[in-house]
Amino acid sequence: MKYFIVDAFTDKQFAGNPAGVCLLPKWLDSKTMQIIAAENNLSETAFIVRQENKYELRWFTPEIEVDLCGHATLASAFVIFNFVDQEARNVCFSSKSGLLNVTKRNNMYEMDFPARKPIPTEISLQISQAIGMPVLEAHAARDLLLLMENEKLIRDFVPNFELLKEIQGYLGIIITAQGDNVDFVSRFFTPNAGVPEDPVTGSTHSSLIPFWADRLGKAKMTAKQLSKRGGTLLCENCGDRVKISGNAVLYLRGEIAIE
């Protein structure tokens, strides 16, 4: 199969979030795709099969299949626009989270995702101990969203992954605060999915965008994920949908041989 590695949410190599993209003529069994994702050892590997006028899309971490992944969707669209159908300006993916449209706008890729507005939840003793610093608010959706006082706390946070693993019931834990030079910042941890800290996470912004839109009274926002690699996301709140835009660059193009 044709295989690509694309750095998403960045305009330069070795930044943003690298995603593997596998172009398949037909679906492999889930076990084989999971083994390939583990061998690739990236936070996500996307698998794509073309079906008439759209593409079916699935995402795997090194350990599990997930229901939604932003950076690997952006990377998949990048591959289609640049190596499969260079005349296209829009691509539609069929996924476990429904239909996901990606539009190419100059050198940016705009993804249309479902909104997942988090709801307030208790700041448990377990959460407080795992984070080890004051948590202002806790909100729950697919992920646990924890509001902190400022950007410096987000940037300086040193995660205790053994304690974070004990927080059950969520795919991962988001810590977020209002940004100093952007609207909001975040970091994202998924130690139970084989990805201790994800560099830049589009899917978490399905929750972060409606959360911060309400607080800031803004529909359009700029966000940064403050991982070591870092990345920038242009965000728009559209009610029951969100739009997430970013750049992407190619790192690797090759083939995977399955015997």
Side-chain angles (χ1 to χ4, degrees), residues 58-133:
R58 293 171 69 181
W59 312 272
F60 290 79
T61 79
E63 294 188 3
I64 62 171
E65 182 175 6
V66 297
D67 68 332
L68 183 64
C69 177
H71 84 281
T73 301
L74 193 158
S76 298
F78 174 91
V79 168
I80 290 170
F81 288 135
N82 288 280
F83 300 103
V84 178
D85 186 355
Q86 296 181 0
E87 299 302 316
R89 289 296 176 266
N90 182 270
V91 60
C92 180
F93 294 111
S94 175
S95 76
K96 288 191 172 185
S97 291
L99 296 179
L100 307 174
N101 286 294
V102 184
T103 303
K104 184 178 182 181
R105 302 190 187 282
N106 297 319
N107 63 338
M108 299 287 285
Y109 302 88
E110 180 187 85
M111 301 183 293
D112 185 320
F113 273 19
R116 294 176 168 177
K117 187 174 182 179
I119 59 174
T121 191
E122 175 190 8
I123 304 172
S124 66
L125 179 61
Q126 183 185 52
I127 291 171
S128 295
Q129 290 177 338
I131 299 302
M133 61 181 180

Side-chain angles (χ1 to χ4, degrees), residues 36-256:
I36 292 169
E39 186 77 3
N40 292 345
N41 199 31
L42 297 170
S43 62
E44 299 283 350
T45 296
F47 295 86
I48 307 172
V49 173
R50 186 167 193 166
Q51 299 287 358
E52 297 179 352
N53 63 343
K54 63 179 182 295
Y55 296 83
E56 294 184 354
L57 175 62
R58 293 171 69 181
W59 312 272
F60 290 79
T61 79
E63 294 188 3
I64 62 171
E65 182 175 6
V66 297
D67 68 332
L68 183 64
C69 177
H71 84 281
T73 301
L74 193 158
S76 298
F78 174 91
V79 168
I80 290 170
F81 288 135
N82 288 280
F83 300 103
V84 178
D85 186 355
Q86 296 181 0
E87 299 302 316
R89 289 296 176 266
N90 182 270
V91 60
C92 180
F93 294 111
S94 175
S95 76
K96 288 191 172 185
S97 291
L99 296 179
L100 307 174
N101 286 294
V102 184
T103 303
K104 184 178 182 181
R105 302 190 187 282
N106 297 319
N107 63 338
M108 299 287 285
Y109 302 88
E110 180 187 85
M111 301 183 293
D112 185 320
F113 273 19
R116 294 176 168 177
K117 187 174 182 179
I119 59 174
T121 191
E122 175 190 8
I123 304 172
S124 66
L125 179 61
Q126 183 185 52
I127 291 171
S128 295
Q129 290 177 338
I131 299 302
M133 61 181 180
V135 177
L136 301 181
E137 298 177 20
H139 297 254
R142 181 198 71 175
D143 307 305
L144 178 64
L145 186 155
L146 304 176
L147 177 65
M148 306 300 172
E149 185 174 356
N150 57 53
E151 178 176 315
K152 187 177 186 301
L153 289 176
I154 305 296
R155 192 180 297 277
D156 294 345
F157 177 62
V158 179
N160 183 324
F161 291 113
E162 291 305 312
L163 291 179
L164 291 177
K165 278 185 177 181
E166 296 177 6
I167 300 175
Q168 300 293 318
Y170 307 96
L171 176 64
I173 298 110
I174 308 165
I175 59 172
T176 186
Q178 190 165 350
D180 295 338
N181 300 304
V182 294
D183 292 293
F184 64 89
V185 297
S186 67
R187 289 172 68 186
F188 184 53
F189 309 98
T190 53
N192 289 313
V195 186
E197 179 171 3
D198 196 37
V200 194
T201 317
S203 62
T204 59
H205 288 73
S206 286
S207 296
L208 285 162
I209 291 171
F211 176 83
W212 282 107
D214 283 353
R215 289 181 170 269
L216 300 176
K218 299 173 69 173
K220 294 185 177 182
M221 297 166 287
T222 302
K224 283 191 175 181
Q225 198 154 326
L226 300 179
S227 64
K228 183 178 180 180
R229 291 174 65 101
T232 301
L233 309 91
L234 303 183
C235 308
E236 183 175 358
N237 188 48
C238 304
D240 61 349
R241 307 288 295 183
V242 297
K243 291 182 179 180
I244 307 165
S245 301
N247 299 103
V249 293
L250 180 69
Y251 168 66
L252 180 147
R253 180 183 182 186
E255 292 183 346
I256 293 176

